[in-house]
Amino acid sequence: MSTEFYEADVDGDGHADNVQYDQHADGTSDVLIDTNHDGVADYEASDTDGDGQFDYVAADTDHDGTHDVEAWDQNSDGTFDKANVDTNSDGVADYSGNPWGAA
């Protein structure tokens, strides 16, 4: 596995965010972004099947340690077809399904 670290202003707040890119020997990869500098990724993206496209993304927008939004491309067609969304920050998905129509 190779790991690279970058700094970029991902959220546009004028401060550099920590970005970690992991390339695994099997061709899969992960991107982790820490926007509030607490050492915990607030945004994640993964290519779990090694096809060069992210098929899982997640965001912790309120920085409580729990993903508020998660989305998956379950059939590797390049389109996210499942999402879980927690709109009230209670740690439980208020929506789970395909917000983009039938898969």
Coordinates of all heavy atoms in Angstrom, one line a residue:
M1 N 0.8 -1.2 0.0 CA 0.0 0.0 0.0 C 0.9 1.2 0.0 O 1.9 1.3 0.7 CB -0.9 0.0 1.2 CG -1.7 1.3 1.3 SD -2.9 1.3 2.7 CE -1.9 1.8 4.1
S2 N 0.5 2.2 -0.8 CA 1.2 3.5 -0.7 C 0.2 4.5 -0.2 O -1.0 4.5 -0.5 CB 1.7 3.9 -2.1 OG 0.6 4.1 -3.0
T3 N 0.7 5.4 0.6 CA -0.1 6.5 1.2 C 0.5 7.8 0.8 O 1.7 8.0 1.0 CB -0.2 6.3 2.7 OG1 -0.8 5.1 3.0 CG2 -1.0 7.5 3.3
E4 N -0.3 8.8 0.4 CA 0.2 10.1 0.1 C -0.7 11.1 0.9 O -1.9 10.9 1.1 CB 0.0 10.4 -1.4 CG 0.8 9.5 -2.3 CD 0.5 9.7 -3.7 OE1 0.1 10.8 -4.1 OE2 0.7 8.7 -4.5
F5 N -0.1 12.2 1.4 CA -0.7 13.2 2.2 C -0.7 14.5 1.4 O 0.4 14.9 0.9 CB -0.1 13.3 3.6 CG -0.3 12.1 4.4 CD1 0.7 11.1 4.5 CD2 -1.4 11.9 5.2 CE1 0.6 10.0 5.3 CE2 -1.6 10.8 6.0 CZ -0.6 9.9 6.0
Y6 N -1.8 15.2 1.4 CA -1.9 16.5 0.7 C -2.6 17.5 1.7 O -3.2 17.1 2.6 CB -2.7 16.4 -0.5 CG -2.2 15.4 -1.5 CD1 -2.7 14.1 -1.5 CD2 -1.2 15.7 -2.4 CE1 -2.2 13.1 -2.4 CE2 -0.7 14.8 -3.3 CZ -1.2 13.5 -3.3 OH -0.8 12.6 -4.2
E7 N -2.4 18.7 1.3 CA -3.2 19.8 2.0 C -4.0 20.5 0.8 O -3.3 20.9 -0.2 CB -2.4 20.7 2.8 CG -1.9 20.1 4.1 CD -1.3 21.1 5.0 OE1 -1.2 22.3 4.7 OE2 -1.0 20.7 6.2
A8 N -5.2 20.7 1.0 CA -6.0 21.4 0.0 C -7.2 22.0 0.8 O -7.7 21.5 1.8 CB -6.5 20.5 -1.1
D9 N -7.7 23.1 0.3 CA -8.9 23.8 0.9 C -10.2 23.1 0.3 O -10.8 23.7 -0.6 CB -8.9 25.3 0.7 CG -10.0 26.0 1.4 OD1 -10.7 25.3 2.2 OD2 -10.2 27.2 1.1
V10 N -10.5 21.9 0.7 CA -11.6 21.1 0.2 C -12.9 21.8 0.4 O -13.8 21.8 -0.4 CB -11.5 19.7 0.8 CG1 -12.7 18.9 0.3 CG2 -10.2 19.0 0.4
D11 N -13.1 22.3 1.6 CA -14.4 22.9 1.9 C -14.6 24.4 1.6 O -15.6 25.0 1.9 CB -14.8 22.6 3.4 CG -13.8 23.1 4.4 OD1 -12.8 23.7 4.0 OD2 -13.9 22.8 5.6
G12 N -13.5 25.0 1.1 CA -13.6 26.4 0.7 C -13.6 27.4 1.8 O -14.1 28.6 1.6
D13 N -13.1 27.1 3.0 CA -13.2 28.0 4.1 C -11.9 28.8 4.3 O -11.8 29.6 5.2 CB -13.5 27.2 5.4 CG -12.3 26.3 5.9 OD1 -11.3 26.2 5.1 OD2 -12.4 25.7 6.9
G14 N -11.0 28.7 3.4 CA -9.8 29.5 3.4 C -8.7 28.9 4.2 O -7.6 29.5 4.3
H15 N -8.9 27.7 4.7 CA -7.9 27.0 5.5 C -7.6 25.6 4.8 O -8.5 24.9 4.4 CB -8.3 26.7 6.9 CG -8.6 28.0 7.7 ND1 -7.7 28.8 8.1 CD2 -9.8 28.5 8.0 CE1 -8.2 29.9 8.7 NE2 -9.6 29.7 8.6
A16 N -6.3 25.2 4.8 CA -6.0 24.0 4.1 C -6.5 22.8 5.0 O -6.4 22.8 6.2 CB -4.4 23.9 4.0
D17 N -7.1 21.8 4.3 CA -7.6 20.6 5.0 C -6.6 19.5 4.7 O -5.9 19.5 3.7 CB -8.9 20.2 4.4 CG -9.9 21.4 4.5 OD1 -10.0 21.9 5.6 OD2 -10.6 21.7 3.5
N18 N -6.5 18.5 5.6 CA -5.7 17.3 5.4 C -6.4 16.3 4.5 O -7.5 15.9 4.8 CB -5.4 16.7 6.8 CG -4.6 17.6 7.7 OD1 -3.7 18.4 7.2 ND2 -4.9 17.7 9.0
V19 N -5.6 15.9 3.5 CA -6.2 14.9 2.6 C -5.2 13.7 2.5 O -4.0 13.9 2.4 CB -6.3 15.5 1.2 CG1 -6.8 14.4 0.2 CG2 -7.2 16.7 1.2
Q20 N -5.7 12.5 2.7 CA -4.9 11.3 2.7 C -5.4 10.4 1.6 O -6.6 10.2 1.4 CB -5.0 10.5 4.0 CG -4.3 9.2 4.0 CD -4.4 8.5 5.4 OE1 -4.6 9.1 6.4 NE2 -4.2 7.2 5.3
Y21 N -4.5 9.9 0.7 CA -4.9 9.0 -0.4 C -4.1 7.7 -0.2 O -2.9 7.7 -0.1 CB -4.5 9.7 -1.7 CG -4.7 8.7 -2.9 CD1 -6.0 8.5 -3.3 CD2 -3.6 8.1 -3.5 CE1 -6.2 7.6 -4.4 CE2 -3.8 7.2 -4.6 CZ -5.1 7.0 -5.0 OH -5.3 6.1 -6.0
D22 N -4.8 6.6 -0.1 CA -4.3 5.3 0.1 C -4.5 4.5 -1.2 O -5.7 4.3 -1.6 CB -4.9 4.6 1.3 CG -4.5 5.2 2.6 OD1 -3.4 5.8 2.7 OD2 -5.4 5.3 3.5
Q23 N -3.4 4.0 -1.8 CA -3.6 3.1 -2.9 C -3.1 1.7 -2.4 O -2.0 1.5 -1.9 CB -2.6 3.5 -4.0 CG -2.7 2.6 -5.2 CD -4.0 2.6 -6.0 OE1 -4.5 3.7 -6.3 NE2 -4.5 1.5 -6.4
H24 N -4.0 0.7 -2.5 CA -3.8 -0.6 -2.0 C -3.2 -1.5 -3.1 O -3.5 -1.3 -4.3 CB -5.0 -1.2 -1.4 CG -5.7 -0.4 -0.4 ND1 -5.2 -0.2 0.9 CD2 -6.7 0.5 -0.5 CE1 -6.0 0.6 1.6 NE2 -6.9 1.1 0.7
A25 N -2.5 -2.6 -2.7 CA -1.9 -3.5 -3.7 C -2.9 -4.2 -4.6 O -2.5 -4.5 -5.7 CB -1.0 -4.5 -2.9
D26 N -4.1 -4.3 -4.1 CA -5.1 -5.0 -5.0 C -5.8 -4.1 -5.9 O -6.8 -4.4 -6.6 CB -6.2 -5.7 -4.1 CG -7.0 -4.7 -3.2 OD1 -6.7 -3.5 -3.3 OD2 -7.8 -5.2 -2.5
G27 N -5.4 -2.8 -6.0 CA -6.0 -1.8 -6.9 C -7.0 -1.0 -6.3 O -7.5 0.0 -7.0
T28 N -7.5 -1.3 -5.1 CA -8.5 -0.4 -4.5 C -7.8 0.8 -3.9 O -6.6 0.8 -3.7 CB -9.2 -1.2 -3.4 OG1 -8.3 -1.6 -2.4 CG2 -9.9 -2.5 -4.0
S29 N -8.6 1.8 -3.6 CA -8.1 3.0 -3.0 C -9.1 3.7 -2.1 O -10.3 3.5 -2.2 CB -7.6 4.0 -4.1 OG -8.7 4.3 -4.9
D30 N -8.6 4.6 -1.2 CA -9.4 5.4 -0.3 C -8.9 6.8 -0.2 O -7.7 7.0 -0.3 CB -9.3 4.8 1.1 CG -9.8 3.4 1.2 OD1 -10.9 3.1 0.9 OD2 -8.9 2.5 1.6
V31 N -9.8 7.7 -0.1 CA -9.4 9.1 0.1 C -10.1 9.5 1.4 O -11.3 9.3 1.6 CB -9.9 10.0 -1.0 CG1 -9.6 11.5 -0.7 CG2 -9.2 9.7 -2.3
L32 N -9.4 10.1 2.3 CA -9.9 10.6 3.6 C -9.5 12.0 3.7 O -8.4 12.5 3.5 CB -9.2 9.8 4.8 CG -9.3 8.3 4.7 CD1 -8.4 7.6 5.8 CD2 -10.7 7.8 4.8
I33 N -10.5 12.8 4.1 CA -10.4 14.3 4.2 C -10.8 14.8 5.6 O -11.9 14.5 6.0 CB -11.2 15.0 3.1 CG1 -10.8 14.5 1.7 CG2 -11.0 16.5 3.3 CD1 -11.7 15.0 0.6
D34 N -9.9 15.4 6.3 CA -10.2 16.0 7.6 C -10.2 17.5 7.5 O -9.2 18.2 7.3 CB -9.0 15.6 8.6 CG -9.2 16.1 10.0 OD1 -10.3 16.7 10.3 OD2 -8.3 16.0 10.8
T35 N -11.5 18.0 7.6 CA -11.7 19.5 7.3 C -11.6 20.3 8.6 O -11.4 21.5 8.6 CB -13.0 19.8 6.7 OG1 -14.1 19.3 7.5 CG2 -13.1 19.1 5.3
N36 N -11.7 19.7 9.8 CA -11.7 20.4 11.0 C -10.4 20.1 11.9 O -10.4 20.5 13.0 CB -13.0 20.2 11.9 CG -13.2 18.8 12.3 OD1 -12.5 17.9 11.9 ND2 -14.1 18.6 13.3
H37 N -9.5 19.4 11.3 CA -8.2 19.2 11.9 C -8.2 18.5 13.2 O -7.4 18.7 14.1 CB -7.4 20.5 12.0 CG -7.3 21.2 10.7 ND1 -6.6 20.8 9.6 CD2 -8.0 22.3 10.3 CE1 -6.7 21.6 8.6 NE2 -7.6 22.5 9.0
D38 N -9.2 17.5 13.4 CA -9.3 16.8 14.7 C -8.7 15.4 14.6 O -8.7 14.6 15.5 CB -10.7 16.7 15.2 CG -11.6 15.9 14.3 OD1 -11.2 15.5 13.2 OD2 -12.8 15.7 14.7
G39 N -8.1 15.1 13.4 CA -7.5 13.8 13.2 C -8.5 12.7 12.7 O -8.1 11.6 12.6
V40 N -9.7 13.1 12.5 CA -10.8 12.1 12.1 C -11.3 12.6 10.8 O -11.6 13.7 10.6 CB -11.9 12.0 13.1 CG1 -13.0 11.1 12.7 CG2 -11.4 11.6 14.5
A41 N -11.4 11.6 9.8 CA -11.9 12.0 8.5 C -13.3 12.4 8.5 O -14.2 11.8 9.1 CB -11.7 10.8 7.5
D42 N -13.6 13.6 8.0 CA -15.0 14.1 7.8 C -15.6 13.7 6.5 O -16.8 13.6 6.4 CB -15.0 15.6 7.9 CG -14.3 16.1 9.2 OD1 -14.8 15.7 10.3 OD2 -13.4 16.9 9.1
Y43 N -14.8 13.4 5.5 CA -15.3 12.9 4.2 C -14.4 11.7 3.8 O -13.2 11.7 4.0 CB -15.1 14.1 3.2 CG -16.0 15.3 3.5 CD1 -15.4 16.3 4.3 CD2 -17.3 15.3 3.1 CE1 -16.2 17.4 4.6 CE2 -18.1 16.4 3.5 CZ -17.5 17.5 4.2 OH -18.3 18.5 4.6
E44 N -15.1 10.7 3.3 CA -14.4 9.5 2.8 C -14.9 9.1 1.4 O -16.1 9.3 1.1 CB -14.6 8.4 3.8 CG -14.2 8.6 5.2 CD -14.6 7.4 6.1 OE1 -14.6 6.3 5.6 OE2 -14.8 7.7 7.3
A45 N -14.0 8.6 0.6 CA -14.4 8.0 -0.7 C -13.6 6.8 -0.9 O -12.4 6.8 -0.6 CB -14.2 9.0 -1.8
S46 N -14.2 5.7 -1.4 CA -13.5 4.5 -1.6 C -13.8 3.9 -3.0 O -14.9 3.9 -3.4 CB -13.8 3.4 -0.5 OG -13.5 3.9 0.7
D47 N -12.8 3.3 -3.6 CA -12.9 2.5 -4.8 C -12.7 1.1 -4.3 O -11.6 0.6 -4.1 CB -11.9 2.9 -5.8 CG -11.9 1.9 -7.0 OD1 -12.8 1.1 -7.1 OD2 -10.9 2.0 -7.8
T48 N -13.8 0.4 -4.0 CA -13.7 -0.9 -3.3 C -13.5 -2.1 -4.3 O -13.2 -3.2 -3.9 CB -14.9 -1.2 -2.5 OG1 -16.1 -1.3 -3.3 CG2 -15.1 -0.2 -1.4
D49 N -13.7 -1.8 -5.6 CA -13.5 -2.9 -6.6 C -12.3 -2.7 -7.5 O -12.1 -3.4 -8.4 CB -14.8 -3.2 -7.3 CG -15.3 -1.9 -8.1 OD1 -14.6 -0.9 -8.1 OD2 -16.4 -2.0 -8.5
G50 N -11.6 -1.6 -7.3 CA -10.4 -1.3 -8.1 C -10.6 -0.9 -9.6 O -9.7 -1.0 -10.4
D51 N -11.8 -0.4 -9.9 CA -12.1 0.0 -11.3 C -11.7 1.4 -11.6 O -12.0 1.9 -12.7 CB -13.5 -0.3 -11.6 CG -14.5 0.6 -10.9 OD1 -14.1 1.3 -10.0 OD2 -15.7 0.4 -11.2
G52 N -11.2 2.2 -10.6 CA -10.8 3.6 -10.8 C -11.9 4.5 -10.5 O -11.7 5.7 -10.6
Q53 N -13.1 4.1 -10.1 CA -14.2 5.0 -9.8 C -14.6 4.7 -8.3 O -14.7 3.6 -7.9 CB -15.4 4.7 -10.7 CG -15.2 5.0 -12.1 CD -16.5 4.8 -12.9 OE1 -17.3 4.0 -12.6 NE2 -16.6 5.5 -14.0
F54 N -14.9 5.8 -7.6 CA -15.4 5.7 -6.2 C -16.8 5.0 -6.2 O -17.6 5.4 -7.0 CB -15.4 7.0 -5.5 CG -14.1 7.6 -5.3 CD1 -13.8 8.9 -5.8 CD2 -13.1 6.9 -4.6 CE1 -12.6 9.5 -5.6 CE2 -11.9 7.5 -4.4 CZ -11.6 8.8 -4.9
D55 N -16.9 4.0 -5.4 CA -18.2 3.4 -5.3 C -18.8 3.5 -3.9 O -19.8 2.9 -3.6 CB -18.2 1.9 -5.8 CG -17.0 1.1 -5.3 OD1 -16.5 1.5 -4.2 OD2 -16.6 0.2 -6.0
Y56 N -18.1 4.2 -3.0 CA -18.6 4.5 -1.7 C -18.2 5.9 -1.3 O -17.0 6.2 -1.5 CB -18.1 3.5 -0.7 CG -18.5 3.8 0.8 CD1 -19.7 3.7 1.3 CD2 -17.5 4.4 1.6 CE1 -20.1 4.0 2.6 CE2 -17.8 4.7 2.9 CZ -19.1 4.5 3.4 OH -19.4 4.9 4.7
V57 N -19.1 6.7 -0.8 CA -18.7 8.0 -0.3 C -19.5 8.2 1.0 O -20.6 7.7 1.2 CB -19.0 9.2 -1.3 CG1 -18.1 9.1 -2.5 CG2 -20.5 9.2 -1.6
A58 N -18.9 9.0 1.9 CA -19.5 9.3 3.2 C -19.1 10.6 3.7 O -17.9 11.1 3.4 CB -19.1 8.2 4.2
A59 N -19.9 11.3 4.4 CA -19.6 12.6 5.0 C -20.2 12.7 6.4 O -21.3 12.3 6.7 CB -20.3 13.7 4.1
D60 N -19.4 13.3 7.3 CA -19.8 13.7 8.6 C -19.8 15.2 8.6 O -18.8 15.9 9.0 CB -18.8 13.2 9.7 CG -19.1 13.6 11.1 OD1 -20.2 14.2 11.3 OD2 -18.3 13.4 12.0
T61 N -20.9 15.8 8.2 CA -20.9 17.3 8.0 C -21.0 18.1 9.3 O -20.7 19.2 9.3 CB -22.1 17.7 7.1 OG1 -23.3 17.2 7.7 CG2 -22.0 17.0 5.7
D62 N -21.5 17.4 10.4 CA -21.6 18.2 11.7 C -20.5 17.8 12.7 O -20.5 18.2 13.8 CB -23.0 18.0 12.3 CG -23.3 16.5 12.6 OD1 -22.4 15.6 12.4 OD2 -24.4 16.2 13.0
H63 N -19.5 17.0 12.2 CA -18.3 16.6 13.0 C -18.6 16.0 14.3 O -17.9 16.2 15.3 CB -17.4 17.9 13.2 CG -17.2 18.6 12.0 ND1 -16.4 18.1 10.9 CD2 -17.6 19.9 11.5 CE1 -16.3 19.0 10.0 NE2 -17.0 20.1 10.3
D64 N -19.7 15.1 14.3 CA -20.0 14.4 15.6 C -19.4 13.0 15.6 O -19.7 12.2 16.5 CB -21.5 14.4 15.8 CG -22.3 13.5 14.8 OD1 -21.6 13.1 13.8 OD2 -23.5 13.4 14.9
G65 N -18.7 12.6 14.6 CA -18.1 11.3 14.5 C -18.9 10.2 13.8 O -18.5 9.1 13.7
T66 N -20.1 10.6 13.4 CA -21.0 9.7 12.7 C -21.3 10.3 11.3 O -21.6 11.5 11.1 CB -22.4 9.6 13.5 OG1 -22.1 9.1 14.8 CG2 -23.3 8.6 12.8
H67 N -21.3 9.4 10.3 CA -21.6 9.8 8.9 C -23.1 10.3 8.8 O -24.0 9.6 9.3 CB -21.4 8.7 7.9 CG -20.0 8.3 7.8 ND1 -19.6 7.0 7.7 CD2 -18.9 9.0 7.8 CE1 -18.3 6.9 7.6 NE2 -17.8 8.2 7.6
D68 N -23.3 11.5 8.3 CA -24.6 12.0 8.0 C -25.1 11.6 6.7 O -26.3 11.4 6.5 CB -24.6 13.6 8.0 CG -23.9 14.1 9.3 OD1 -24.3 13.7 10.4 OD2 -23.1 15.0 9.1
V69 N -24.2 11.3 5.8 CA -24.6 10.9 4.4 C -23.6 9.8 4.0 O -22.4 9.9 4.2 CB -24.5 12.0 3.4 CG1 -24.8 11.5 2.0 CG2 -25.4 13.2 3.8
E70 N -24.2 8.7 3.5 CA -23.4 7.6 2.9 C -24.1 7.3 1.6 O -25.3 7.2 1.5 CB -23.4 6.4 3.7 CG -22.7 6.5 5.1 CD -22.7 5.3 5.9 OE1 -23.8 4.9 6.3 OE2 -21.7 4.7 6.1
A71 N -23.3 7.0 0.5 CA -23.9 6.5 -0.7 C -23.0 5.5 -1.4 O -21.8 5.5 -1.2 CB -24.0 7.7 -1.7
W72 N -23.6 4.5 -2.0 CA -23.0 3.4 -2.6 C -23.4 3.2 -4.1 O -24.5 3.4 -4.5 CB -23.4 2.1 -1.9 CG -23.0 2.0 -0.5 CD1 -21.9 1.4 0.0 CD2 -23.8 2.4 0.6 NE1 -21.9 1.4 1.4 CE2 -23.0 2.1 1.8 CE3 -25.0 3.1 0.8 CZ2 -23.5 2.4 3.1 CZ3 -25.4 3.4 2.0 CH2 -24.7 3.0 3.2
D73 N -22.4 2.8 -4.9 CA -22.7 2.2 -6.2 C -22.6 0.7 -6.1 O -21.5 0.1 -6.2 CB -21.6 2.8 -7.2 CG -21.8 2.2 -8.6 OD1 -22.8 1.4 -8.9 OD2 -20.9 2.4 -9.5
Q74 N -23.7 0.1 -5.9 CA -23.7 -1.3 -5.6 C -23.5 -2.2 -6.7 O -23.1 -3.4 -6.6 CB -25.1 -1.7 -4.9 CG -25.3 -1.0 -3.6 CD -26.6 -1.3 -3.0 OE1 -27.6 -1.1 -3.6 NE2 -26.6 -1.7 -1.7
N75 N -23.7 -1.8 -8.0 CA -23.6 -2.6 -9.1 C -22.4 -2.2 -10.1 O -22.3 -2.6 -11.2 CB -24.9 -2.7 -9.9 CG -25.4 -1.4 -10.3 OD1 -24.7 -0.4 -10.2 ND2 -26.6 -1.4 -10.8
S76 N -21.6 -1.3 -9.6 CA -20.4 -0.8 -10.3 C -20.7 -0.3 -11.7 O -19.9 -0.4 -12.6 CB -19.3 -2.0 -10.4 OG -18.9 -2.4 -9.2
D77 N -21.8 0.4 -11.9 CA -22.2 1.0 -13.1 C -21.8 2.5 -13.2 O -22.1 3.2 -14.2 CB -23.6 0.8 -13.5 CG -24.6 1.6 -12.5 OD1 -24.1 2.2 -11.5 OD2 -25.8 1.6 -12.8
G78 N -21.1 3.0 -12.2 CA -20.7 4.4 -12.1 C -21.7 5.4 -11.6 O -21.5 6.6 -11.6
T79 N -22.9 4.9 -11.1 CA -23.9 5.7 -10.6 C -24.3 5.2 -9.2 O -24.5 4.0 -9.0 CB -25.2 5.6 -11.5 OG1 -24.9 6.0 -12.8 CG2 -26.3 6.5 -10.9
F80 N -24.3 6.2 -8.2 CA -24.7 5.8 -6.9 C -26.2 5.4 -6.9 O -27.0 6.1 -7.3 CB -24.4 6.9 -5.9 CG -23.0 7.2 -5.7 CD1 -22.3 8.2 -6.3 CD2 -22.2 6.3 -4.9 CE1 -21.0 8.4 -6.2 CE2 -20.9 6.5 -4.7 CZ -20.2 7.6 -5.4
D81 N -26.5 4.2 -6.3 CA -27.8 3.7 -6.3 C -28.4 3.4 -4.9 O -29.5 2.9 -4.8 CB -28.0 2.5 -7.2 CG -26.9 1.5 -7.1 OD1 -26.4 1.3 -5.9 OD2 -26.5 0.9 -8.1
K82 N -27.7 3.7 -3.9 CA -28.2 3.6 -2.5 C -27.6 4.7 -1.7 O -26.4 5.0 -1.8 CB -27.9 2.3 -1.9 CG -28.5 2.2 -0.5 CD -28.2 0.8 0.1 CE -28.9 0.9 1.5 NZ -28.4 -0.2 2.4
A83 N -28.4 5.3 -0.8 CA -27.9 6.3 0.1 C -28.6 6.2 1.4 O -29.8 5.8 1.5 CB -28.2 7.7 -0.5
N84 N -27.9 6.5 2.5 CA -28.4 6.7 3.8 C -28.2 8.1 4.2 O -27.0 8.6 4.1 CB -27.8 5.8 4.8 CG -28.1 4.3 4.7 OD1 -29.1 4.0 4.1 ND2 -27.3 3.4 5.2
V85 N -29.2 8.8 4.7 CA -29.1 10.2 5.1 C -29.7 10.4 6.5 O -30.8 10.0 6.7 CB -29.8 11.1 4.1 CG1 -29.6 12.6 4.5 CG2 -29.3 10.9 2.7
D86 N -28.9 11.0 7.4 CA -29.3 11.4 8.7 C -29.5 12.9 8.8 O -28.5 13.6 8.9 CB -28.3 10.9 9.8 CG -28.7 11.3 11.2 OD1 -29.8 11.7 11.4 OD2 -27.8 11.2 12.1
T87 N -30.7 13.3 8.7 CA -31.0 14.8 8.6 C -31.1 15.5 9.9 O -31.0 16.7 10.0 CB -32.3 15.0 7.8 OG1 -33.4 14.4 8.5 CG2 -32.2 14.5 6.4
N88 N -31.2 14.8 11.0 CA -31.4 15.4 12.3 C -30.2 15.1 13.3 O -30.4 15.4 14.5 CB -32.7 15.1 12.9 CG -32.9 13.6 13.2 OD1 -32.0 12.8 12.9 ND2 -34.1 13.3 13.6
S89 N -29.2 14.5 12.8 CA -27.9 14.3 13.6 C -28.2 13.4 14.8 O -27.5 13.6 15.8 CB -27.3 15.6 14.0 OG -27.0 16.4 12.9
D90 N -29.1 12.5 14.8 CA -29.3 11.6 15.9 C -28.6 10.2 15.7 O -28.7 9.3 16.5 CB -30.8 11.3 16.2 CG -31.5 10.6 15.0 OD1 -30.9 10.3 14.0 OD2 -32.7 10.3 15.2
G91 N -27.8 10.1 14.6 CA -27.1 8.9 14.4 C -27.9 7.8 13.7 O -27.4 6.7 13.5
V92 N -29.2 8.0 13.4 CA -30.0 7.1 12.7 C -30.4 7.6 11.4 O -30.8 8.8 11.3 CB -31.3 6.8 13.6 CG1 -32.2 5.8 12.9 CG2 -30.9 6.3 14.9
A93 N -30.3 6.8 10.3 CA -30.7 7.3 9.0 C -32.2 7.6 8.9 O -33.0 6.8 9.3 CB -30.4 6.2 7.9
D94 N -32.5 8.8 8.5 CA -33.9 9.3 8.3 C -34.4 8.9 6.9 O -35.6 8.9 6.6 CB -34.0 10.8 8.5 CG -33.5 11.2 9.9 OD1 -34.1 10.7 10.9 OD2 -32.6 12.0 10.0
Y95 N -33.4 8.7 6.0 CA -33.7 8.2 4.7 C -32.8 7.1 4.3 O -31.6 7.2 4.5 CB -33.6 9.4 3.7 CG -33.8 8.8 2.2 CD1 -35.1 8.7 1.7 CD2 -32.8 8.4 1.5 CE1 -35.3 8.2 0.5 CE2 -33.0 7.9 0.2 CZ -34.3 7.8 -0.3 OH -34.5 7.3 -1.5
S96 N -33.3 6.1 3.7 CA -32.4 5.0 3.2 C -33.1 4.5 1.9 O -34.2 4.1 1.9 CB -32.3 3.9 4.2 OG -31.4 2.9 3.7
G97 N -32.3 4.5 0.8 CA -32.9 4.1 -0.4 C -32.2 4.6 -1.6 O -31.0 5.0 -1.5
N98 N -32.9 4.8 -2.7 CA -32.3 5.3 -3.9 C -32.9 6.6 -4.3 O -34.0 6.7 -4.8 CB -32.5 4.3 -5.1 CG -31.8 4.8 -6.4 OD1 -31.4 5.9 -6.5 ND2 -31.7 3.9 -7.3
P99 N -32.2 7.7 -3.9 CA -32.8 9.1 -4.1 C -32.8 9.5 -5.6 O -33.4 10.5 -5.9 CB -31.9 10.0 -3.3 CG -30.6 9.3 -3.2 CD -31.0 7.8 -3.2
W100 N -32.1 8.7 -6.4 CA -32.0 9.1 -7.9 C -32.9 8.3 -8.7 O -32.8 8.3 -10.0 CB -30.5 8.9 -8.3 CG -29.6 9.7 -7.4 CD1 -29.4 11.0 -7.6 CD2 -28.9 9.3 -6.3 NE1 -28.5 11.4 -6.6 CE2 -28.2 10.4 -5.8 CE3 -28.8 8.0 -5.7 CZ2 -27.4 10.3 -4.7 CZ3 -27.9 8.0 -4.6 CH2 -27.3 9.1 -4.1
G101 N -33.9 7.5 -8.2 CA -34.8 6.8 -9.0 C -34.5 5.3 -8.9 O -33.6 4.8 -8.2
A102 N -35.2 4.5 -9.6 CA -35.0 3.0 -9.6 C -33.6 2.6 -10.1 O -33.1 3.2 -11.0 CB -36.1 2.4 -10.4
A103 N -33.0 1.6 -9.4 CA -31.7 1.2 -9.8 C -31.8 0.2 -11.0 O -32.8 -0.4 -11.2 CB -31.0 0.5 -8.7

